[in-house]
Amino acid sequence: MKGNIRKGVNEQDILESIRRYDTVFLYGAGRYGRALLQDLNDRAFRVKAVVVECTEGNPKAVEGVPVVALSTVPPEDTALFVLAVSEKYLREAVELLVANGHKHLLYLENPFLLHGGIAPEMMAKLPKLEITAKIGCGIACRYCPQQMLLNAYFREDKRRKAYMELSDYKRCILHMPKDAIISFAGFVEPFHHKDAVEMLLFAHEMGYRLELFTTFEGVSRAQYEQIKDIPFVRVELHIPDKNQNARILTTKEYWEVVKLALEQKKPNGRAFLDKAHCHGEPVDAFLELADGKTEIGTALMDRAGNLKADENLRQGVYKSGKIYCTKAHRQNQWVLLPDGTVTLCCMDFGLKHVIGNLLENTYEELLKQDAWTGIRRQMMQLQEDCGLLCRNCVDAADLQEWSALEAR
């Protein structure tokens, strides 16, 4: 039996396709499944169940919808399966559903489409600028090589600018293309800069997409109210852990802000917090507030070899041959430093790969300079060890996968 599979390529097409069916199932309980289910719930579509091949290792419910095994779902002529899987697993999912007698399948090329979101695969193709507006992060997480950054930044000039001026920030932002993502992350807690809120609002007013990765340390309720309606493409909260691997200072106002963020919706209807991240076991105070409202991740990595081996760290394995970055396909997700310097990425705490300076050049001009083109060439070297940070990074992959990604 052949399946009737259609691709949903725009919002109207997706919604019209779903309306044709009496019963709607969602296939896949992972990241795509959660995103799609939130969208469908917001549109008042009733999903009967989230279907998986095997329930073992999966949650019992997603967004209040039960998770069931495929073997327990009988075929129905009036039932639609919306596929919440990445393109990598699409063929496998289709063959499995068809083999079990299910005829009507709908696949969304971008499962974040309904509310104008951006899939990770799409984001990896866009320019990104991570804002490090201050050198020296006071939180001093155990799994963050801050001393390496300090040593590298001040090695040649002890008086180098350590605090970004707002006027310099604005000039750098306007040197980025309009399709760029401005990410408040980088090497420091964003709100440790006194102008953080104004920086966020400026980039938003200029029409850029924004990300926010923060601990909320020191953020007042008034500051949160100023940013809560920004349509962030992603917000991740780094939360305190029981072992104090992240030394986040918590106050009564801190917990008030966290509570608001857990309850808040973005303008597109999604939860304000996309995810929480923890360097160990989350503190009970957060778990009580969260009560299942957000996913909590605990994965840690060795920062492309910049951290010493640890049983808690995912370690990169040296990769020879032609490679590419799964997070930034063109090696163009850079980190902006206080004096306008741009370095390769958020793994480059040692500032090994400085691209140039955004105060002096536009993004397009930096793409033509030897520093960036040299890194691109080094990614293509077959044997020579050229000291490229990427070759020890967990986010690097073999170039053979490149053509498949480019075809998306």
Side-chain angles (χ1 to χ4, degrees):
M1 181 184 295
K2 293 183 178 180
N4 178 20
I5 182 169
R6 294 188 302 281
K7 283 189 176 182
V9 295
N10 61 61
E11 183 175 335
Q12 182 178 358
D13 176 54
I14 293 165
L15 300 179
E16 287 182 356
S17 295
I18 294 174
R19 288 191 186 102
R20 297 191 189 110
Y21 294 87
D22 297 333
T23 307
V24 177
F25 293 100
L26 197 66
Y27 186 78
R31 175 169 52 90
Y32 285 1
R34 291 190 298 273
L36 275 173
L37 196 53
Q38 286 178 355
D39 288 337
L40 294 173
N41 283 343
D42 292 339
R43 303 279 179 157
F45 286 102
R46 187 175 181 276
V47 175
K48 185 173 182 179
V50 176
V51 180
V52 294
E53 183 177 2
C54 176
T55 55
E56 184 178 352
N58 279 299
K60 293 182 179 179
V62 177
E63 299 286 322
V65 177
V67 176
V68 302
L70 177 60
S71 60
T72 66
V73 182
E76 298 178 40
D77 286 337
T78 58
L80 173 70
F81 275 78
V82 181
L83 302 179
V85 296
S86 67
E87 188 176 31
K88 181 178 179 181
Y89 300 105
L90 176 60
R91 180 168 183 169
E92 177 184 333
V94 170
E95 290 177 349
L96 189 60
L97 288 165
V98 171
N100 279 268
H102 302 291
K103 301 178 182 179
H104 306 292
L105 316 176
L106 175 66
Y107 172 63
L108 276 62
E109 291 185 326
N110 177 2
F112 298 82
L113 180 66
L114 289 182
H115 279 302
I118 307 173
E121 291 81 1
M122 299 295 291
M123 291 178 71
K125 297 181 180 181
L126 296 175
K128 181 185 289 189
L129 188 66
E130 297 190 15
I131 308 302
T132 296
K134 175 180 176 292
I135 293 295
C137 184
I139 296 175
C141 295
R142 176 185 175 188
Y143 294 111
C144 181
Q146 279 291 310
Q147 192 58 53
M148 176 182 288
L149 173 64
L150 289 167
N151 292 342
Y153 191 80
F154 294 111
R155 182 177 295 122
E156 296 181 3
D157 182 2
K158 302 299 182 185
R159 302 177 66 182
R160 188 175 179 182
K161 182 182 293 185
Y163 203 85
M164 180 175 283
E165 296 176 14
L166 185 59
S167 58
D168 287 347
Y169 162 81
K170 291 180 178 181
R171 180 177 173 83
C172 290
I173 293 301
L174 294 178
H175 277 171
M176 292 296 292
K178 283 299 182 180
D179 65 343
I181 298 170
I182 307 301
S183 182
F184 282 76
F187 301 137
V188 70
E189 162 53 53
F191 290 101
H192 283 185
H193 193 288
K194 66 180 179 63
D195 296 322
V197 170
E198 191 168 351
M199 288 176 169
L200 281 163
L201 292 173
F202 175 79
H204 170 52
E205 290 164 2
M206 292 299 103
Y208 290 95
R209 299 182 180 98
L210 293 180
E211 288 183 328
L212 176 61
F213 294 77
T214 178
T215 64
F216 277 150
E217 182 183 276
V219 177
S220 68
R221 181 163 180 164
Q223 287 177 308
Y224 174 78
E225 291 293 335
Q226 288 181 275
I227 67 165
K228 66 181 178 61
D229 293 324
I230 294 175
F232 293 102
V233 297
R234 188 162 187 82
V235 180
E236 288 197 17
L237 178 63
H238 186 172
I239 61 176
D241 62 279
K242 291 182 177 179
N243 293 327
Q244 291 193 317
N245 290 322
R247 301 175 180 88
I248 300 168
L249 178 63
T250 62
T251 63
K252 181 181 179 181
E253 190 169 30
Y254 165 85
W255 289 116
E256 289 175 356
V257 170
V258 169
K259 185 174 186 294
L260 288 170
L262 285 164
E263 296 171 350
Q264 177 80 29
K265 297 287 186 182
K266 294 190 184 81
N268 62 15
R270 292 180 180 278
F272 183 79
L273 289 183
D274 292 280
K275 188 177 181 179
H277 186 78
C278 189
H279 284 185
E281 185 179 354
V283 294
D284 292 337
F286 180 82
L287 294 176
E288 291 170 8
L289 281 179
D291 193 26
K293 292 186 180 74
T294 190
E295 177 187 356
I296 302 176
T298 57
L300 294 165
M301 64 182 70
D302 66 356
R303 295 287 186 175
N306 285 328
L307 288 171
K308 293 182 179 179
D310 186 301
E311 66 276 7
N312 296 319
L313 295 177
R314 180 184 172 199
Q315 292 182 266
V317 177
Y318 182 84
K319 301 172 183 70
S320 59
K322 297 181 179 181
I323 60 172
Y324 77 98
C325 177
T326 59
K327 297 296 185 182
H329 294 175
R330 300 187 69 219
Q331 292 76 54
N332 60 344
Q333 293 188 6
W334 302 334
V335 178
L336 176 68
L337 302 178
D339 62 354
T341 297
V342 173
T343 192
L344 178 60
C345 74
C346 62
M347 301 296 174
D348 193 8
F349 282 82
L351 309 185
K352 290 182 65 176
H353 304 300
V354 171
I355 306 297
N357 193 295
L358 263 181
L359 283 173
E360 301 167 0
N361 299 102
T362 65
Y363 168 82
E364 288 78 10
E365 288 170 344
L366 291 180
L367 291 181
K368 298 174 182 178
Q369 293 189 2
D370 291 344
W372 186 77
T373 57
I375 289 168
R376 296 279 287 168
R377 284 195 300 272
Q378 290 170 27
M379 301 286 280
M380 297 297 102
Q381 290 182 339
L382 294 176
Q383 300 296 333
E384 181 184 350
D385 182 359
C386 52
L388 186 66
L389 192 70
C390 309
R391 295 198 177 275
N392 292 302
C393 183
V394 298
D395 291 324
D398 191 283
L399 188 63
Q400 290 180 351
E401 300 175 25
W402 176 262
S403 57
L405 285 164
E406 283 295 279
R408 291 182 180 177

